[in-house]
Amino acid sequence: MVQGKILLLIDDLDDLTARDTALVLRQIRNLADRFPENYWAIACRPVISTQILDLFTEVELAGFNRKQIEEFAHKWLPRLHKSTSVKPEDFLTQLSSSIAIEEIAANPLLLTLLCNKFAICDRLSLPNALKDAMNLWLYAWDSYNYRHNLAASAKQNIDSQKELLSWIALSSFNRSQYRIESHNLVQDIKNFPATWDDIPSQLLFAEARGIYEFAFTSFQEYLIADRLVNSSN
């Protein structure tokens, strides 16, 4: 580090507690000041980046735009299905018919899932597509953090996360809020009951100080509908 030949890659700052985050950021600043010739790359949510912008250049990872989605579909779908009956144009038409599905299609991982489903079923069902996309979103994160878990326990963990998230989504809906203030979120977690550590930060995260949002509005709306349907049965 003294010679400035180190590249430091840092991730998962979003999963730290507020106390640990402050400690880690202070250590990063100290190291960056002491060894300024080294290279740093830190992946984090905007609420974390605002605390270290004075030291680093901020680069935001954007989702796919419409043109990129079209290019992806034309290149990827033919590789998934040899049949000429599966046409990228049909996939894109169905994609455009649903704002909710089109929103998640901007994410490359979820767009790949949608292409896979269309290659198999030749259609996109809104409830099933959102359900599968959310499961994939949670499972990808859960597999990363709990890669040694058995499949059954991983599924159980995802199911419990979805229960908590649907409770929070419906509670915020009843308050006519899409963005959730931290004091309301704390109360929702307490009423469930659960703990702060039970919230999957890849799906519900701090967008600004004291303000939390779901990663996708379509996920939030799906969770609200799912909670209402299941609570009425």
Side-chain angles (χ1 to χ4, degrees):
M1 294 189 72
V2 174
Q3 297 177 355
K5 296 182 178 180
I6 298 294
L7 170 62
L8 297 101
L9 307 176
I10 302 177
D11 197 2
D12 288 343
L13 288 182
D14 314 277
D15 291 330
L16 298 175
T17 64
R19 180 179 178 181
D20 289 339
T21 298
L23 174 62
V24 170
L25 290 179
R26 185 163 61 250
Q27 292 174 335
I28 290 175
R29 291 192 195 99
N30 291 341
L31 279 174
D33 287 339
R34 186 177 178 185
F35 305 104
E37 300 302 322
N38 293 284
Y39 295 91
W40 300 70
I42 303 175
C44 59
R45 298 289 185 187
V47 69
I48 302 295
S49 69
T50 56
Q51 302 176 49
I52 53 177
L53 279 181
D54 56 326
L55 296 176
F56 296 90
T57 300
E58 183 180 24
V59 178
E60 183 176 354
L61 181 62
F64 279 175
N65 57 34
R66 179 65 187 186
K67 181 179 179 181
Q68 290 170 321
I69 291 174
E70 292 176 355
E71 291 176 352
F72 185 96
H74 279 94
K75 291 179 180 179
W76 191 248
L77 271 173
R79 295 174 180 269
L80 295 173
H81 206 297
K82 301 300 182 181
S83 172
T84 55
S85 62
V86 179
K87 298 179 180 180
E89 292 77 9
D90 295 337
F91 169 77
L92 293 169
T93 298
Q94 292 192 33
L95 202 66
S96 301
S97 66
S98 169
I99 296 176
I101 295 181
E102 195 168 30
E103 180 197 16
I104 64 175
N107 180 275
L109 174 63
L110 299 182
L111 178 57
T112 303
L113 170 70
L114 294 174
C115 286
N116 287 340
K117 289 184 65 66
F118 187 81
I120 295 172
C121 304
D122 202 24
R123 62 188 296 269
L124 292 175
S125 167
L126 176 58
N128 291 335
L130 290 177
K131 179 181 178 180
D132 290 346
M134 186 178 305
N135 286 342
L136 174 64
W137 199 249
L138 289 170
Y139 181 77
W141 187 269
D142 203 64
S143 298
Y144 175 77
N145 288 297
Y146 306 99
R147 62 187 65 183
H148 300 300
N149 279 7
L150 297 175
S153 61
K155 181 181 183 302
Q156 183 179 11
N157 189 58
I158 290 174
D159 289 341
S160 63
Q161 288 176 341
K162 289 170 66 177
E163 280 288 315
L164 173 58
L165 290 169
S166 66
W167 170 266
I168 294 172
L170 182 58
S171 298
S172 64
F173 174 76
N174 290 334
R175 293 190 297 267
S176 300
Q177 292 179 335
Y178 269 88
R179 305 182 78 196
I180 309 170
E181 297 178 359
S182 58
H183 67 275
N184 286 329
L185 181 57
V186 168
Q187 191 61 49
D188 292 340
I189 295 171
K190 182 179 179 180
N191 292 340
F192 182 69
T195 67
W196 195 272
D197 292 337
D198 294 324
I199 296 180
S201 60
Q202 81 282 13
L203 217 160
L204 182 65
F205 58 88
E207 178 61 26
R209 285 186 179 275
I211 300 295
Y212 286 78
E213 287 186 348
F214 281 83
F216 301 97
T217 302
S218 52
F219 281 0
Q220 186 175 8
E221 293 173 343
Y222 170 83
L223 287 165
I224 293 170
D226 185 64
R227 188 81 185 187
L228 288 172
V229 170
N230 289 332
S231 62
S232 64
N233 291 336

